[in-house]
Amino acid sequence: KVIWTLLVTILGYASSLPVGDDSICTAEELAKYSIIFTGKWSQTAFPKQYPLYRPPAQWSSMLGVTHSSDYSMWKKNEYASNGVRDFAEKGEAWVLMKEIEEAGEKIQSVHGIFSAPAISSGTGQTSTELEVHSRHPLVSFVVRIVPSPDWFVGIDSLNLCEDDHWMEEVSVDLFPYDAGTDSGFTFSSPNFATIPQDTVTEITCSSPSHPANSFYYPKLKNLPPIAQVTMVKLKKNHLGLPAPYLSVPAKSNEIIDSVSETPLDCEVSQWSSWGLCRGLCRKTGTKIRTRFVLLQPANNGMPCPNLDEETRCEPENCV
């Protein structure tokens, strides 16, 4: 009877464990980390259509979870959930929080939720602490790019456990993602739902391949990282003090601004039609056409060409 009771207890416990590759983590049961998010979205690194006002470039709050492999907050090339859609488009976290809570209640795949304050500029830092469990060693989070149609940065299922120990420190460069729910090309595009919904895709310097894309830099091989996240394991005797929080305005963040200078070439419109021929009858006159600047150059990019052009002509309608 004792053996049977013990067997039932073991089977019942095993059935409650999350299923996945992370179940082989044999590190100590719990570990605590400081997570620091650093925004690198500066006008120097990303000069094209950089948002300066209404609203200026900034980051939403961070929303993240520690979990097992049978839960996914978001995945590249898969469809975003309703919660991720609301967060990426509007910064609203209620539906995403409900999805996380349901995953924790139904399949016990979520260990903990964490969040960090928003950053009011494109560059700066925000931080918080998180706790991972040997059965829930994965970390996922999202931070919305503001303003944007449905763009965000984040991490999908980063494993902090290496066999029998927790990683001491890990840093990851972050790049922009499109949630696939809004079809805008620029930071300030109006809301235009993608129907049917597309999958989550990484935004690169050449994709979407459209000159209107705010991240379109055809001369670059790769975009510079727009943000970075660092996770540092806290010692057991840590007193529970919060990780350092520093919100640094773009002007004073010299280290971030000096990381990369992305050259931006001048862009001009097509030529207008030729104007009327001006001059005396039976003598050679001149006519002019013009164009205007669509995008000012930056960071030693190609300067703007001449905006007007003149050519000879014969005056018409002479008496």
Side-chain angles (χ1 to χ4, degrees), residues 17-27 67-71 108-109 133-139 157-163 166:
L17 293 179
V19 178
D21 295 338
D22 49 64
S23 61
I24 62 173
C25 176
T26 57
H67 59 94
S68 62
S69 62
D70 53 3
Y71 169 80
Q108 299 182 0
S109 61
H133 191 279
S134 57
R135 300 198 309 273
H136 303 83
L138 308 181
V139 176
S157 304
L158 175 67
N159 195 341
L160 293 179
C161 181
E162 291 184 320
D163 299 328
W166 295 104

Side-chain angles (χ1 to χ4, degrees), residues 197-307:
Q197 181 177 335
D198 203 351
T199 58
V200 175
T201 55
E202 184 176 350
I203 301 172
T204 71
C205 55
S206 57
S207 178
S209 183
H210 194 291
N213 177 16
S214 292
F215 287 111
Y216 186 69
Y217 296 94
K219 289 190 174 182
L220 295 183
K221 289 184 178 180
N222 299 290
L223 284 177
I226 196 170
Q228 185 183 64
V229 66
T230 300
M231 283 166 272
V232 181
K233 186 174 179 290
L234 300 177
K235 304 300 181 184
K236 280 190 175 181
N237 60 356
H238 183 66
L239 298 177
L241 297 175
Y245 173 75
L246 177 64
S247 182
V248 184
K251 287 184 180 179
S252 64
N253 206 329
E254 297 176 3
I255 296 176
I256 290 177
D257 282 349
S258 65
V259 168
S260 57
E261 290 191 1
T262 302
L264 184 65
D265 295 341
C266 177
E267 292 183 14
V268 295
S269 67
Q270 298 292 324
W271 286 111
S272 67
S273 301
W274 287 105
L276 294 174
C277 185
R278 298 182 178 277
L280 299 175
C281 288
R282 292 178 293 279
K283 291 187 178 181
T284 301
T286 58
K287 58 183 179 181
I288 295 174
R289 62 178 182 177
T290 61
R291 55 187 175 185
F292 58 90
V293 175
L294 295 173
L295 198 63
Q296 292 287 352
N299 304 329
N300 297 315
M302 187 178 296
C304 294
N306 291 333
L307 299 179

Side-chain angles (χ1 to χ4, degrees), residues 59-128:
W59 299 96
S60 77
S61 58
M62 172 194 290
L63 180 59
V65 291
T66 57
H67 59 94
S68 62
S69 62
D70 53 3
Y71 169 80
S72 174
M73 175 180 272
W74 65 275
K75 278 192 179 299
K76 183 179 177 180
N77 299 327
E78 293 188 8
Y79 293 105
S81 68
N82 290 335
V84 171
R85 177 200 64 201
D86 286 358
F87 191 86
E89 288 188 11
K90 297 173 283 188
E92 295 177 358
W94 188 85
V95 176
L96 182 54
M97 285 287 292
K98 191 168 183 62
E99 292 172 353
I100 294 170
E101 289 170 2
E102 288 177 352
E105 292 169 1
K106 292 180 181 177
I107 55 179
Q108 299 182 0
S109 61
V110 173
H111 175 69
I113 303 173
F114 59 89
S115 63
I119 304 175
S120 60
S121 61
T123 58
Q125 290 184 336
T126 187
S127 62
T128 188

